Short mmCIF file of all heavy atoms in Angstrom, two decimals:
data_model
loop_
_atom_site.label_atom_id
_atom_site.label_comp_id
_atom_site.label_asym_id
_atom_site.label_seq_id
_atom_site.Cartn_x
_atom_site.Cartn_y
_atom_site.Cartn_z
N LEU A 359 35.95 -4.23 -18.67
CA LEU A 359 36.15 -5.50 -19.13
C LEU A 359 36.69 -6.40 -18.04
O LEU A 359 37.65 -6.10 -17.34
CB LEU A 359 37.23 -5.50 -20.33
CG LEU A 359 37.31 -6.67 -21.25
CD1 LEU A 359 35.89 -6.76 -21.96
CD2 LEU A 359 38.34 -6.48 -22.28
N ASP A 360 35.82 -7.49 -17.70
CA ASP A 360 36.17 -8.38 -16.56
C ASP A 360 37.06 -9.47 -16.96
O ASP A 360 38.08 -9.75 -16.34
CB ASP A 360 34.89 -8.91 -15.98
CG ASP A 360 34.44 -8.22 -14.74
OD1 ASP A 360 35.10 -7.18 -14.42
OD2 ASP A 360 33.44 -8.62 -14.13
N LYS A 361 36.66 -10.08 -18.06
CA LYS A 361 37.49 -11.30 -18.46
C LYS A 361 37.34 -11.62 -19.86
O LYS A 361 36.25 -11.42 -20.49
CB LYS A 361 36.93 -12.57 -17.56
CG LYS A 361 37.75 -13.84 -17.78
CD LYS A 361 37.10 -14.95 -17.06
CE LYS A 361 37.19 -14.63 -15.55
NZ LYS A 361 36.59 -15.88 -14.76
N VAL A 362 38.39 -12.07 -20.54
CA VAL A 362 38.40 -12.52 -21.95
C VAL A 362 39.02 -13.92 -22.01
O VAL A 362 40.17 -14.09 -21.44
CB VAL A 362 39.07 -11.54 -22.94
CG1 VAL A 362 39.04 -12.16 -24.36
CG2 VAL A 362 38.47 -10.21 -22.87
N GLU A 363 38.31 -14.91 -22.58
CA GLU A 363 38.85 -16.27 -22.61
C GLU A 363 38.74 -16.78 -24.04
O GLU A 363 37.84 -16.53 -24.80
CB GLU A 363 38.01 -17.16 -21.72
CG GLU A 363 38.10 -16.75 -20.24
CD GLU A 363 36.92 -17.44 -19.44
OE1 GLU A 363 35.82 -17.00 -19.53
OE2 GLU A 363 37.30 -18.37 -18.60
N LEU A 364 39.78 -17.59 -24.45
CA LEU A 364 39.92 -18.16 -25.72
C LEU A 364 39.96 -19.63 -25.69
O LEU A 364 40.73 -20.12 -24.85
CB LEU A 364 41.20 -17.58 -26.41
CG LEU A 364 41.52 -18.01 -27.80
CD1 LEU A 364 40.46 -17.58 -28.84
CD2 LEU A 364 42.88 -17.52 -28.25
N GLY A 365 39.23 -20.29 -26.52
CA GLY A 365 39.22 -21.74 -26.56
C GLY A 365 38.40 -22.22 -27.73
O GLY A 365 37.90 -21.55 -28.56
N ALA A 366 38.30 -23.60 -27.77
CA ALA A 366 37.58 -24.25 -28.80
C ALA A 366 36.13 -23.90 -28.68
O ALA A 366 35.65 -23.61 -27.65
CB ALA A 366 37.75 -25.76 -28.72
N GLN A 367 35.46 -23.88 -29.82
CA GLN A 367 34.03 -23.45 -29.84
C GLN A 367 33.19 -24.23 -28.91
O GLN A 367 32.33 -23.72 -28.11
CB GLN A 367 33.44 -23.63 -31.29
CG GLN A 367 33.96 -22.54 -32.24
CD GLN A 367 33.33 -22.72 -33.64
OE1 GLN A 367 32.62 -23.72 -33.87
NE2 GLN A 367 33.50 -21.79 -34.49
N ALA A 368 33.35 -25.61 -28.84
CA ALA A 368 32.55 -26.41 -27.95
C ALA A 368 32.83 -26.05 -26.47
O ALA A 368 31.91 -25.97 -25.66
CB ALA A 368 32.75 -27.89 -28.23
N ASP A 369 34.09 -25.89 -26.15
CA ASP A 369 34.47 -25.58 -24.72
C ASP A 369 34.01 -24.18 -24.32
O ASP A 369 33.44 -24.03 -23.16
CB ASP A 369 35.99 -25.57 -24.54
CG ASP A 369 36.54 -27.03 -24.79
OD1 ASP A 369 35.84 -27.95 -24.56
OD2 ASP A 369 37.77 -27.13 -25.13
N ILE A 370 34.01 -23.16 -25.28
CA ILE A 370 33.59 -21.92 -24.97
C ILE A 370 32.12 -21.85 -24.73
O ILE A 370 31.48 -21.22 -23.94
CB ILE A 370 34.01 -20.88 -26.13
CG1 ILE A 370 35.47 -20.68 -26.07
CG2 ILE A 370 33.20 -19.57 -25.96
CD1 ILE A 370 35.98 -19.97 -24.83
N ALA A 371 31.30 -22.64 -25.64
CA ALA A 371 29.83 -22.74 -25.55
C ALA A 371 29.51 -23.33 -24.16
O ALA A 371 28.51 -22.95 -23.53
CB ALA A 371 29.32 -23.55 -26.70
N GLU A 372 30.22 -24.39 -23.82
CA GLU A 372 29.99 -25.02 -22.46
C GLU A 372 30.22 -24.08 -21.38
O GLU A 372 29.41 -24.02 -20.40
CB GLU A 372 30.85 -26.26 -22.31
CG GLU A 372 30.64 -27.02 -21.11
CD GLU A 372 31.58 -28.21 -20.90
OE1 GLU A 372 32.21 -28.57 -21.90
OE2 GLU A 372 31.65 -28.81 -19.79
N LYS A 373 31.29 -23.33 -21.48
CA LYS A 373 31.56 -22.37 -20.44
C LYS A 373 30.55 -21.23 -20.34
O LYS A 373 30.23 -20.74 -19.27
CB LYS A 373 33.04 -21.80 -20.56
CG LYS A 373 33.38 -20.95 -19.39
CD LYS A 373 34.93 -21.00 -19.13
CE LYS A 373 35.25 -20.31 -17.79
NZ LYS A 373 36.67 -20.44 -17.50
N LEU A 374 30.10 -20.81 -21.52
CA LEU A 374 28.97 -19.69 -21.58
C LEU A 374 27.76 -20.30 -20.86
O LEU A 374 27.15 -19.52 -19.99
CB LEU A 374 28.73 -19.35 -23.01
CG LEU A 374 27.53 -18.34 -23.21
CD1 LEU A 374 27.86 -17.04 -22.48
CD2 LEU A 374 27.24 -18.18 -24.69
N GLY A 375 27.39 -21.58 -21.12
CA GLY A 375 26.22 -22.09 -20.47
C GLY A 375 26.36 -22.18 -19.02
O GLY A 375 25.45 -21.82 -18.14
N ALA A 376 27.60 -22.56 -18.55
CA ALA A 376 27.82 -22.60 -17.08
C ALA A 376 27.80 -21.20 -16.49
O ALA A 376 27.28 -20.96 -15.34
CB ALA A 376 29.19 -23.27 -16.81
N SER A 377 28.26 -20.21 -17.27
CA SER A 377 28.31 -18.83 -16.75
C SER A 377 26.83 -18.34 -16.60
O SER A 377 26.55 -17.65 -15.64
CB SER A 377 29.11 -17.95 -17.74
OG SER A 377 29.05 -16.56 -17.30
N ILE A 378 26.04 -18.64 -17.57
CA ILE A 378 24.65 -18.19 -17.50
C ILE A 378 23.97 -18.88 -16.35
O ILE A 378 23.08 -18.27 -15.66
CB ILE A 378 23.93 -18.46 -18.86
CG1 ILE A 378 24.48 -17.63 -19.95
CG2 ILE A 378 22.49 -18.29 -18.77
CD1 ILE A 378 23.93 -17.89 -21.38
N ASP A 379 24.16 -20.22 -16.18
CA ASP A 379 23.50 -20.90 -15.03
C ASP A 379 23.99 -20.27 -13.71
O ASP A 379 23.16 -20.07 -12.79
CB ASP A 379 23.89 -22.34 -15.04
CG ASP A 379 23.26 -23.12 -16.18
OD1 ASP A 379 22.33 -22.57 -16.75
OD2 ASP A 379 23.82 -24.17 -16.56
N ARG A 380 25.35 -19.96 -13.61
CA ARG A 380 25.77 -19.31 -12.39
C ARG A 380 25.15 -17.98 -12.16
O ARG A 380 24.92 -17.51 -11.07
CB ARG A 380 27.27 -19.26 -12.41
CG ARG A 380 27.91 -18.71 -11.24
CD ARG A 380 29.47 -18.96 -11.21
NE ARG A 380 30.10 -18.25 -12.28
CZ ARG A 380 30.59 -18.85 -13.36
NH1 ARG A 380 30.52 -20.14 -13.57
NH2 ARG A 380 31.19 -18.08 -14.32
N ARG A 381 24.95 -17.25 -13.33
CA ARG A 381 24.29 -15.95 -13.22
C ARG A 381 23.02 -16.01 -12.66
O ARG A 381 22.61 -15.18 -11.79
CB ARG A 381 24.33 -15.25 -14.54
CG ARG A 381 23.84 -13.85 -14.72
CD ARG A 381 23.84 -13.42 -16.13
NE ARG A 381 23.47 -11.93 -16.26
CZ ARG A 381 24.37 -11.01 -16.21
NH1 ARG A 381 25.69 -11.25 -16.06
NH2 ARG A 381 24.02 -9.76 -16.30
#
Side-chain angles (χ1 to χ4, degrees):
L359 204 57
D360 260 2
K361 187 183 293 186
V362 179
E363 297 165 287
L364 178 64
Q367 287 183 351
D369 294 336
I370 290 295
E372 180 182 351
K373 186 147 192 179
L374 176 63
S377 176
I378 293 175
D379 291 342
R380 185 169 60 254
R381 186 183 186 89

